[in-house]
Amino acid sequence: MTKTALITGVTGQDGSYLSEFLLDKGYEVHGIIRRSSVDYRERIAHLEGTPHFHLHYADMSDSMSLVKLVGKVQPDEIYNLAAQSHVQVSFDAPEFTADVDAVGVLRILEAVRTNHLEKTCKIYQASTSELYGKVEEVPQSETTPFHPYSPYAVAKLYGYWIIKEYREAYDMFCCSGILFNHESERRGETFVTRKITLAAARIAQGKQDRLYLGNLDSLRDWGYAKDYVECMWLILQHETPEDFVIATGVQHSVREFATLAFRHAGIELRWEGEGIEEKGIVTNVQGDNVQCTKGDVVVRVSPDFYRPTDVVNLLGDPSKAKRELGWNPQSTSFEQLVELMVAHDMKKVAADDAAAEIRKVNLAEFLEKGIDK
Ligand code: NAP
Ligand code: GDD
C-alpha cells in the first residue's frame, strides 16, 4: 500500500531532503508552502512537477488551513518541520516564533483530531537540542533535564510537551526527534556553518574581504542533514511512539569549523587575540587562484552576533537511536561534512553570474554590518 506523508516546512533544508527520502521509498508526498513575493522554492525546485510530489498553500499560524489540508490529504504520517528556526531571530520576533513553533504544533495535533485521524496518522515533531540550552549535563540524552535558553527554545519546549501530552491523553502515535545541529549544502545562509563555508569560498575567490562572527568558543555536535532525515522516518516506523536524541556524539567549536573550512578553501589560518579582539589571520595559501595573502585578517569578531543568552555546550548521546533504530550516527564525519559544504560553495560562488555575485557581496557586507538574519 502506498503511504501518504504530509510535510510542513517542505521548502526548508530538512523538508527538501525528507521529501527526496520519502519519494524514494514510494510515498505520496504532500508539502505545505506559504505565499511569498519572491521565489524561495530553490531547495525543492527539482521535485516540482514530479508525479508523487504535491504542494499546497497553508500556514502554521492558520488553524483552518491546516484542518482543511489534513482532511483533504488524509496523511498516514505528518512530519512537522515548519518553524521560525533561527535562534537569534527569535529574540527579535519572539511572539511570531511562539505562534509558529509552539502553538503551531498544537494546531497540527488538533487538525488530526478534528479529522478523526488520531488512530491512523502518526506525527513526527522536529524538537531540538536547544531544549537543553544552559546545559545541566554533558553529553545530553533523552533523560537530561531541559533548560531552554532563548525564545526559540521556550517555544520548542511547548511543542515537545504538547506532543507528549497528546500521546498520553489520546493515545496518539506522536513523537519528538530531539535533533542536534545538522548542516548541509542546503543549510540557510545565516546559520554559522553555511555563513562560514560561503565566506571562505568568497574570500578565496576575491569576492569578500572579511568574515564577521560572534562567539567562536561555542561548541556544537554537527551532523549531516541528509543522514538525519532518515531518523525522522525511522522514529515513525518504531513499534512504539517514543522520543529520540539524534546526534553524532562528537563536538567541535565554531573556531574549529572555521579553521577547517578555510583550509578546504586553500587558506591556512592562525588565531590571535581573545574575545572581541580575536582575529583569524592568513598564514599560508594553497593554489594559484587564492585571492588573499599571508598576513591578511580574514575573520574578525563582532558583538552584533552575540546573543542575549547563548547555548555553548551541546553534545548529544545517540545511544538510544543507535540501539533501537539501528541508525549509524557517524556515517558522515565532521571532516567530510565541512569538506562537502566548502566544495559545494566553491563551485557555487565561481558559477554565480556577475550580477548575482554583486548582490551576494552586498548581502555579505550587510551581514558584516550585523544583519545576521
Ligand atoms: P529551515 O531550513 O529554516 O526551514 C523551516 C521551514 O519552516 C521552511 O520551509 C519555512 O517555510 C517553514 N515555515 C516557517 N514558518 C512557517 C509558517 N508560519 N507556516 C508554514 N511554514 C513555515 O529549518 P530546517 O533546518 O530545515 O529545520 C527543520 C525543523 O527542524 C525546524 O522546525 C527546526 O526548528 C528543527 N531543527 C533543526 C535543526 C537543524 O540543525 N537544522 C536541529 C534541530 C531542530 P519558508 O521557506 O516559507 O520560510
Ligand atoms: N548564526 C550565527 N552567526 N551563529 C554564530 C555566529 C554567527 O556569526 N558566530 C558564532 N555563532 C554561534 C552561535 O552563537 C551559536 O552558539 C552557534 O554559533 C550556532 O549558531 P547557529 O548556526 O545559528 O545555530 P543554533 O545552534 O543557534 O541553532 C540551530 O541548531 C538548533 C539545534 O541545536 C538551528 O538550526 C535551530 O533551528 C536548531 O534547533
Side-chain angles (χ1 to χ4, degrees):
M1 283 274 287
T2 306
K3 278 194 189 170
T4 300
L6 175 62
I7 304 178
T8 74
V10 75
T11 54
Q13 170 188 258
D14 293 3
S16 64
Y17 284 123
L18 181 65
S19 297
E20 289 168 4
F21 179 87
L22 294 176
L23 287 167
D24 275 356
K25 290 231 166 273
Y27 276 64
E28 208 61 42
V29 175
H30 295 258
I32 288 180
I33 53 168
R34 300 189 286 171
R35 194 263 160 185
S36 166
S37 64
V38 288
D39 180 18
Y40 60 97
R41 277 143 65 170
E42 191 184 331
R43 296 187 182 102
I44 51 167
H46 60 296
L47 300 176
E48 290 191 46
T50 59
H52 304 290
F53 187 65
H54 318 274
L55 296 176
H56 311 266
Y57 284 106
D59 198 292
M60 296 304 291
S61 61
D62 181 340
S63 311
M64 198 50 76
S65 71
L66 298 174
V67 170
K68 281 195 286 188
L69 187 59
V70 169
K72 181 174 160 193
V73 169
Q74 298 277 309
D76 301 297
E77 295 172 5
I78 296 180
Y79 295 86
N80 185 36
L81 311 185
Q84 189 303 92
S85 73
H86 202 287
V87 173
Q88 188 162 350
V89 172
S90 77
F91 289 96
D92 296 332
E95 186 180 339
F96 173 74
T97 304
D99 193 20
V100 174
D101 298 12
V103 186
V105 187
L106 177 69
R107 292 189 184 106
I108 285 286
L109 289 162
E110 280 299 312
V112 169
R113 292 187 68 228
T114 306
N115 285 290
H116 310 293
L117 297 174
E118 63 268 42
K119 294 286 173 253
T120 56
C121 178
K122 298 179 177 180
I123 303 170
Y124 169 86
Q125 166 58 17
S127 286
T128 165
S129 49
E130 287 290 308
L131 298 178
Y132 301 117
K134 193 176 180 189
V135 298
E136 300 196 3
E137 67 183 16
V138 182
Q140 297 91 35
S141 72
E142 291 80 2
T143 55
T144 302
F146 296 133
H147 190 144
Y149 216 34
S150 66
Y152 166 81
V154 173
K156 283 282 185 178
L157 188 66
Y158 177 88
Y160 171 88
W161 281 111
I162 201 70
I163 284 283
K164 195 162 158 38
E165 176 57 25
Y166 274 50
R167 182 161 76 213
E168 289 170 14
Y170 304 118
D171 199 24
M172 289 170 72
F173 196 113
C174 42
C175 325
S176 277
I178 306 174
L179 269 57
F180 283 62
N181 297 53
H182 45 280
E183 318 295 313
S184 73
E185 313 87 300
R186 298 184 193 170
R187 184 58 144 153
E189 297 185 8
T190 59
F191 295 98
V192 76
T193 56
R194 191 75 199 288
K195 184 174 165 184
I196 292 170
T197 58
L198 272 168
R202 289 195 192 111
I203 290 169
Q205 294 178 32
K207 292 169 175 170
Q208 183 175 332
D209 296 329
R210 190 166 291 164
L211 166 66
Y212 285 82
L213 292 171
N215 184 1
L216 297 171
D217 293 315
S218 187
L219 298 165
R220 285 290 181 278
D221 178 330
W222 279 296
Y224 186 31
K226 217 170 173 175
D227 299 336
Y228 282 38
V229 297
E230 183 194 5
C231 267
M232 300 176 183
W233 178 77
L234 286 171
I235 289 172
L236 290 195
Q237 312 317 309
H238 193 249
E239 210 169 314
T240 47
E242 288 178 37
D243 303 326
F244 288 87
V245 160
I246 306 299
T248 67
V250 180
Q251 193 184 52
H252 293 277
S253 68
V254 171
R255 188 184 296 98
E256 285 171 312
F257 191 101
T259 306
L260 194 53
F262 275 84
R263 182 170 301 150
H264 283 299
I267 302 168
E268 280 299 329
L269 292 183
R270 78 180 160 82
W271 298 91
E272 191 182 286
E274 273 180 33
I276 204 76
E277 299 303 329
E278 188 163 355
K279 297 172 192 144
I281 303 169
V282 178
T283 57
N284 200 7
V285 293
Q286 279 196 330
D288 298 336
N289 296 327
V290 177
Q291 303 289 312
C292 53
T293 47
K294 197 172 164 182
D296 285 353
V297 176
V298 289
V299 185
R300 292 219 59 157
V301 173
S302 163
D304 289 327
F305 303 113
Y306 284 169
R307 296 170 182 183
T309 47
D310 197 14
V311 173
V312 294
N313 195 1
L314 291 180
L315 174 65
D317 173 1
S319 308
K320 182 180 174 190
K322 213 168 150 183
R323 190 176 61 245
E324 293 188 26
L325 302 177
W327 181 67
N328 173 9
Q330 271 129 29
S331 46
T332 307
S333 69
F334 174 74
E335 288 72 20
Q336 288 168 318
L337 173 67
V338 180
E339 187 174 2
L340 72 85
M341 287 179 71
V342 175
H344 174 273
D345 285 340
M346 289 295 277
K347 281 198 203 126
K348 177 180 160 58
V349 169
D352 279 347
D353 67 41
E357 203 46 48
I358 288 164
R359 282 202 305 277
K360 296 270 181 209
V361 173
N362 285 343
L363 175 64
E365 282 170 5
F366 274 123
L367 291 174
E368 287 177 359
K369 287 180 185 135
I371 303 167
D372 180 34
K373 314 287 159 68

